[in-house]
Amino acid sequence: MSLSRLLGVNHPPLLLRFTHSPILFSSSSSSSSFTGHTAPLPTKASLSSSSSTTTDMVKAIRVHEIGGPQVLKWEDVEIGEPKEGEVRVRNKAVGVNFIDVYFRTGVYKAPSFPFTPGMEAVGIVTAVGAGLTGRQVGDLVAYAGQPMGSYAEEQILPANKVVSVPSSIDPSIAASIMLKGMTTHFLLRRCFKVEPGHTILVHAAAGGVGSLLCQWANALGATVIGTVSNNEKAAQAKKDGCHHVIIYKEEDFVARVNEITSGNGVEVVYDSVGKDTFEGSLACLKLRGYMVSFGQSSGSPDPVPLSSLAAKSLFLTRPSLLQYVVTRDELLEAAGELFANVASGVLKVRVNHTYPLSEAAKAHEDLENRKTSGSVVLIP
């Protein structure tokens, strides 16, 4: 995608307009644990590296026009052999994220039509491009971000965009957490560095990213306030380390945050909801607080008058994961910290919903209708 990036500035004076730039995150939700491999891993002997130029046919989800879940079509597509600096990967698990919905519906512009959606997956390397070192057939690898196209049985990937998956982490767990987990990493550790004693507000606290934000921020020593839509999600957010849970359909979250913080406000708001929560989020911030808007599941926020920031000298950012994993070292650092926190138990990943890859339309329908909690994974 060309995942842009912060705020658009093609606007009249003194107004910040939000662009529909693809932000790598998910506003999906989270619940029960998923363990065990989805299928036996092939042995290296059963796979082969290749230097031929032959093409094969594999199945993939294709989108020929923007629209509802019904535009996700299960079709045959050609796949060739990897070129220099590339690997061919047979996907074992594919993560579903709200950004996939944005591309399908036209909120974010796809580079061309038809296209294959999907921004993260885990699979087995089945072929490597000529001259490639450091990667071999049989490796279990994961990627998140570009290139878009993970809703496929197999895909070609740049070798410098994949990372090794520890053997202790199941492919479905890894596929469900790469995009959301590395998003959580940059939000908490780099975009705004959460430290002990901070109080933070997390919208959609039981969602895919929200759940991880609550867990990780709690481990960092922050006081976590979260908003959710119902009692079931409130219970889940509490399990994830949310100290104060607000059911926004029953309470005014601004008034409740004000009460919890004794009128001081929070250091940072992590808002993936957008239009419905944006103004309230600004009101919840303390002096010089950080408004981190990383999604828009309810729609794009209205244009923001600069005066609304000046009253408390607020900071506002619309960040994208790809600007925080620009270099190979940044990617390895983010993935390494993520996998370490999963292995140590700091992050408890719940893959509550799995669907056959061919039923991606059903997964999207359930995600958009808020019928999912936790991570959603497609199995090729």
Side-chain angles (χ1 to χ4, degrees), residues 232-315:
E232 181 182 0
K233 291 184 176 181
Q236 188 59 66
K238 287 181 180 179
K239 288 181 181 178
D240 288 333
C242 200
H243 301 91
H244 305 277
V245 183
I246 302 168
I247 301 176
Y248 64 82
K249 291 183 177 180
E250 300 177 4
E251 297 182 274
D252 179 345
F253 75 84
V254 177
R256 185 73 180 103
V257 168
N258 190 58
E259 178 184 350
I260 293 168
T261 63
S262 300
N264 293 319
V266 298
E267 272 82 7
V268 59
V269 176
Y270 293 110
D271 191 338
S272 65
V273 176
K275 186 177 181 66
D276 291 350
T277 54
F278 189 84
E279 289 189 13
S281 293
L282 291 176
C284 289
L285 288 167
K286 69 190 311 180
L287 291 177
R288 301 187 301 277
Y290 278 71
M291 173 65 182
V292 182
S293 175
F294 68 102
Q296 51 194 54
S297 61
S298 68
S300 298
D302 294 329
V304 183
L306 285 177
S307 58
S308 67
L309 307 179
K312 293 190 285 186
S313 293
L314 301 178
F315 295 87

Side-chain angles (χ1 to χ4, degrees), residues 182-193:
M182 291 200 299
T183 295
T184 301
H185 173 266
F186 90 76
L187 291 174
L188 292 175
R189 307 308 295 146
R190 299 185 63 194
C191 189
F192 176 88
K193 193 166 186 178

Side-chain angles (χ1 to χ4, degrees), residues 59 219 225 356:
K59 288 287 190 179
I225 304 171

Side-chain angles (χ1 to χ4, degrees), residues 70-154:
Q70 72 278 2
V71 303
L72 297 170
K73 303 299 184 181
W74 183 237
E75 298 178 350
D76 291 317
V77 297
E78 285 188 352
I79 185 171
E81 296 301 333
K83 300 175 182 177
E84 185 175 352
E86 296 179 335
V87 292
R88 179 168 165 172
V89 177
R90 180 186 305 150
N91 287 333
K92 294 193 63 62
V94 176
V96 176
N97 297 278
F98 224 94
I99 193 171
D100 306 338
V101 175
Y102 292 161
F103 276 107
R104 193 203 76 222
T105 57
V107 172
Y108 296 162
K109 186 177 180 181
S112 62
F113 284 89
F115 70 91
T116 297
M119 309 298 290
E120 67 178 341
V122 170
I124 301 294
V125 174
T126 60
V128 300
L132 185 65
T133 59
R135 189 62 64 202
Q136 59 185 345
V137 168
D139 287 350
L140 182 65
V141 297
Y143 96 103
Q146 289 185 327
M148 183 166 60
S150 63
Y151 285 23
E153 292 177 327
E154 297 187 45

Side-chain angles (χ1 to χ4, degrees), residues 20 41 61 93 137 159 169 176 200 229-230 271 280 288 364 378:
H20 293 308
L41 299 182
I61 295 293
V137 168
I169 299 178
S176 75
I200 75 171
S229 60
N230 58 48
D271 191 338
R288 301 187 301 277
H364 275 222
L378 304 173

